[in-house]
Amino acid sequence: MRIFLISLYFFSTLIILDAQKPEDTEVWEPEPKQISLDITNVPSDAIRLFDGRSLEHWTSEDGAPAQWLIQEDGSFQVKPGAGAIETKEAFGDCQLHIEWKSPEIIKGEGQGRGNSGLFLQKRYEVQILDSYKNRTYSNGQAGSVYKQYIPLVNAMRPSGQWQTYDVIFKAPVFNEKGEKTESGQLTVLHNGVVIQNNITLLGTSEYIGPPKNMPHREAPIMLQDHGDLVSFRNIWVRRL
Ligand code: MG
């Protein structure tokens, strides 16, 4: 009897295994949308936030036209004192590409050298700073999530050279009571190198004091005026 049961189990297992086909584990729907890439690798489903010519996608914080200066080389530059600029459109989860450059002529040190900032949802800062041979607090150097996460490495090209950030952002989620139910998350590549690996945002980037977690909806991408002549070009974003 026992041998009979064991053989029954054995053969039935074989029959079940035999009944499985490769097709059983194939999933065909949905089919990913076909996109294309242009010669500079901008995906066709991206929103170009700067095309080298106009700041039409940007505004000053008070709603007035963005005052930053468009350069002859197809970049634009911080206009010190003009204040931050932000996108007219609000964003939640997204993939963002941005290129930036600190001044060729080195001026200042620490936080005073080539300082700007990329703010997701106007609240979460990926630091922009000339951190090439320029020591400052580690959680405030280029590629840090300001005062929250130190970059894994310093991937800076020398001062005055173009740098790239590629950011994958998952926005925090708040419920009707205003409580945070899901934290934000960030991955950042600096010049193609992973420097923030899916970190969990603790809240807003604050210069003084701990991060805050006030509820908010989708919000603009903002670039900081920290008084330094930082340039930007080739900015695009994809909603996720
Ligand atoms: Mg900054």
Side-chain angles (χ1 to χ4, degrees):
M1 183 63 183
R2 189 158 169 210
I3 287 171
F4 171 74
L5 283 176
I6 288 170
S7 12
L8 186 68
Y9 173 77
F10 180 73
F11 284 112
S12 60
T13 308
L14 270 186
I15 289 161
I16 289 166
L17 278 177
D18 191 46
Q20 291 180 339
K21 298 187 201 67
E23 295 79 7
D24 295 343
T25 44
E26 293 176 357
V27 178
W28 285 66
E29 298 297 335
E31 182 187 2
K33 191 174 93 181
Q34 177 74 55
I35 61 158
S36 58
L37 299 165
D38 72 7
I39 50 162
T40 56
N41 271 340
V42 181
S44 54
D45 62 348
I47 301 164
R48 268 183 181 275
L49 293 174
F50 181 66
D51 62 0
R53 287 188 293 275
S54 97
L55 288 170
E56 63 181 344
H57 288 278
W58 300 83
T59 170
S60 298
E61 277 195 278
D62 61 5
Q67 298 296 310
W68 292 15
L69 304 169
I70 294 175
Q71 311 286 293
E72 281 180 5
D73 65 357
S75 65
F76 67 88
Q77 197 173 72
V78 174
K79 184 178 177 187
I85 63 169
E86 62 184 56
T87 55
K88 291 176 182 170
E89 211 171 319
F91 295 95
D93 300 354
C94 64
Q95 173 187 356
L96 177 73
H97 175 88
I98 189 166
E99 299 177 19
W100 59 274
K101 184 168 68 99
S102 61
E104 279 131 68
I105 298 160
I106 293 169
K107 199 169 123 259
E109 57 185 292
Q111 293 288 311
R113 184 182 299 179
N115 195 333
S116 180
L118 167 66
F119 284 74
L120 282 311
Q121 300 195 312
K122 292 188 70 172
R123 292 164 173 82
Y124 312 108
E125 183 183 15
V126 179
Q127 175 68 303
I128 288 174
L129 189 73
D130 181 1
S131 285
Y132 187 77
K133 297 185 178 169
N134 178 37
R135 193 81 176 95
T136 184
Y137 42 96
S138 301
N139 63 356
Q141 71 181 63
S144 64
V145 177
Y146 190 72
K147 293 215 169 155
Q148 292 186 33
Y149 291 93
I150 297 167
L152 297 171
V153 291
N154 181 341
M156 286 292 294
R157 292 198 175 106
S159 312
Q161 292 191 17
W162 284 101
Q163 321 273 339
T164 66
Y165 279 166
D166 287 281
V167 177
I168 301 161
F169 174 61
K170 195 196 121 347
V173 178
F174 301 86
N175 65 17
E176 332 65 70
K177 289 185 216 149
E179 301 154 340
K180 188 168 76 173
T181 54
E182 283 175 46
S183 291
Q185 282 166 297
L186 261 183
T187 292
V188 182
L189 284 77
H190 181 182
N191 296 326
V193 178
V194 174
I195 56 163
Q196 299 290 350
N197 185 10
N198 197 29
I199 60 90
T200 298
L201 284 171
L202 307 174
T204 54
S205 300
E206 299 293 333
Y207 180 46
I208 299 170
K212 296 188 173 77
N213 283 284
M214 298 292 283
H216 63 86
R217 298 168 187 273
E218 288 194 347
I221 293 160
M222 187 177 84
L223 298 175
Q224 183 184 45
D225 169 12
H226 205 281
D228 296 331
L229 299 174
V230 179
S231 302
F232 298 88
R233 70 177 185 190
N234 194 20
I235 309 172
W236 53 260
V237 62
R238 299 177 60 241
R239 293 182 178 279
L240 295 176

